[in-house]
Amino acid sequence: MLIETVRCNEDLPAGDRFEWWREMILRSAMPALVSSDHTEDFRAKATELHLGPSRVSVLAYSPMRISRTSALVRRSDPQLYHLHLALRGDHGMSQCGREAFLSQGSLLLSDTSHPYSAQSFGEGGMVEGIMIDIPRSALPLPSAKADRLLGTALPGKSGTGALLSQFMTRLTAESGSLQVPDASRLGAVLTDLVAVFLAHHLDAADAVTPESRHQALMVAIHAFIEHNLGDAALSPATVAAAHHISVRYLHLLFQRQSTTVSAWIRHRRLERCRRDLTDLHWAQLPIHAVAARWGFRHPEEFSRAFRARYGAAPRDYREQYRRVT
């Protein structure tokens, strides 16, 4: 699986948890000052995925205030951009003379080279989010342009923001099934998505390389396919039409991935069916209904494809899993 670093204070005595978190942040490569009204039982967990020079962190913590002063910037500056996706709770931040309020589903850009202050407010006592750290030098955008967005809340539920948010959430949700060799490729895709997202909000599309635009288009296509797997009418023609490209160009895009559009759709449908067959929540759902749920019109066609892919008939595969568990 991907290289992960997990930091969690739940095993510490309640009275020591905040001090542990405070010291960890103060001694990190991006030192900052932390305070909180919940020091008596401060809870925090950070899971970091290492994707080459970039990093994705899944964060959950009690509400707090954080300040990175000019002195702390001079003490240590890894020259990173941060892009924060809010999943739970609200955030307020000030950087470069701008103030932003971040609600669920929004994105916020900041960096390590300028002082900032922030405060979070949690529902039910916790704040949750996903943070991307990318070296400033890795983005094709001139820093002078990208810096215009620092301390600015950006939409994460539509357009390129939705595409980036979906990639972030799916990446962290499926990190356990990803392998170390995937890290550099995923890091490159993530960087391209961030570049396209920021360029869109800066009206600087010319600064983004054709390869970055290609990567962003492929992520959008994969997300569309994933969202529509249950539609039996899903086809290369519908995928191409949804993205305003020709079917011929769509096939050329998938040739670069050494597969075809139809083969990819079938692969993802089979994987969804396999997951359902091993999920106790769907244990009483007939196999033909599992197949239909993910777009297979004909049970016999599904059974043949499943056996070819996983080496066992769907019914036998389900029974084998039940015996093991």
Side-chain angles (χ1 to χ4, degrees):
M1 59 185 295
L2 291 178
I3 300 174
E4 290 186 346
T5 301
V6 180
R7 297 182 175 90
C8 183
N9 67 359
E10 63 181 5
D11 293 331
L12 295 174
D16 296 338
R17 292 174 182 172
F18 175 73
E19 185 62 21
W20 172 86
W21 182 256
R22 188 190 71 82
E23 281 293 319
M24 185 183 72
I25 293 179
L26 188 58
R27 297 178 183 276
S28 70
M30 299 162 280
L33 303 174
V34 179
S35 61
S36 175
D37 296 329
H38 305 270
T39 57
E40 293 181 359
D41 186 15
F42 187 89
R43 291 175 290 162
K45 182 178 181 179
T47 302
E48 299 173 356
L49 305 179
H50 303 272
L51 306 177
S54 300
R55 180 179 61 191
V56 178
S57 303
V58 183
L59 305 170
Y61 49 88
S62 299
M64 66 179 184
R65 294 172 294 275
I66 186 166
S67 175
R68 183 162 158 81
T69 64
S70 298
L72 291 174
V73 171
R74 290 192 297 272
R75 172 172 145 185
S76 177
D77 179 16
Q79 299 187 2
L80 300 173
Y81 280 118
H82 294 309
L83 195 60
H84 185 87
L85 171 63
L87 299 179
R88 182 184 181 189
D90 298 317
H91 308 255
M93 182 177 186
S94 175
Q95 187 171 48
C96 296
R98 305 182 189 95
E99 293 187 358
F101 181 78
L102 191 66
S103 57
Q104 182 178 356
S106 298
L107 291 153
L108 177 69
L109 182 70
S110 61
D111 81 345
T112 62
S113 299
H114 297 84
Y116 69 83
S117 60
Q119 185 170 3
S120 55
F121 312 88
E123 300 175 2
M126 292 296 285
V127 177
E128 296 178 10
I130 302 174
M131 175 79 79
I132 301 173
D133 292 326
I134 293 180
R136 293 171 63 96
S137 59
L139 291 179
L141 299 169
S143 294
K145 281 193 172 183
D147 285 358
R148 297 177 196 166
L149 297 177
L150 294 178
T152 302
L154 302 168
K157 294 183 178 180
S158 61
T160 56
L163 184 61
L164 177 58
S165 298
Q166 290 165 11
F167 184 83
M168 293 166 67
T169 53
R170 187 175 174 194
L171 173 65
T172 55
E174 299 189 9
S175 61
S177 63
L178 300 171
Q179 303 300 314
V180 172
D182 298 324
S184 60
R185 179 182 63 83
L186 290 169
V189 172
L190 182 63
T191 300
D192 288 334
L193 281 174
V194 172
V196 170
F197 171 70
L198 296 180
H200 170 77
H201 289 283
L202 290 165
D203 194 22
D206 291 345
V208 179
T209 66
E211 184 60 27
S212 292
R213 289 194 292 270
H214 164 82
Q215 289 280 21
L217 176 59
M218 286 306 298
V219 170
I221 289 170
H222 282 297
F224 177 83
I225 290 173
E226 203 72 19
H227 183 71
N228 292 279
L229 287 174
D231 182 357
L234 182 66
S235 68
T238 57
V239 175
H243 295 86
H244 311 290
I245 59 177
S246 68
V247 174
R248 180 176 179 274
Y249 183 59
L250 178 68
H251 285 306
L252 289 174
L253 291 174
F254 274 80
Q255 282 181 14
R256 294 179 62 175
Q257 297 187 335
S258 302
T259 188
T260 66
V261 187
S262 297
W264 180 256
I265 292 173
R266 185 171 59 252
H267 161 68
R268 293 304 304 156
R269 282 175 167 162
L270 287 170
E271 180 59 18
R272 289 286 187 163
C273 290
R274 186 195 67 79
R275 291 187 183 185
D276 282 1
L277 291 173
T278 59
D279 189 338
L280 294 179
H281 179 76
W282 303 106
Q284 302 306 315
L285 190 67
I287 287 175
H288 69 84
V290 172
R293 172 174 149 81
W294 295 111
F296 285 101
R297 286 193 175 103
H298 307 293
E300 298 81 6
E301 174 194 351
F302 165 66
S303 294
R304 287 194 299 271
F306 191 93
R307 184 190 291 272
R309 178 77 181 178
Y310 300 109
R315 190 175 306 278
D316 295 337
Y317 191 93
R318 175 183 265 179
E319 290 299 323
Q320 290 171 8
Y321 183 82
R322 285 177 178 175
R323 285 196 296 268
V324 170
T325 56

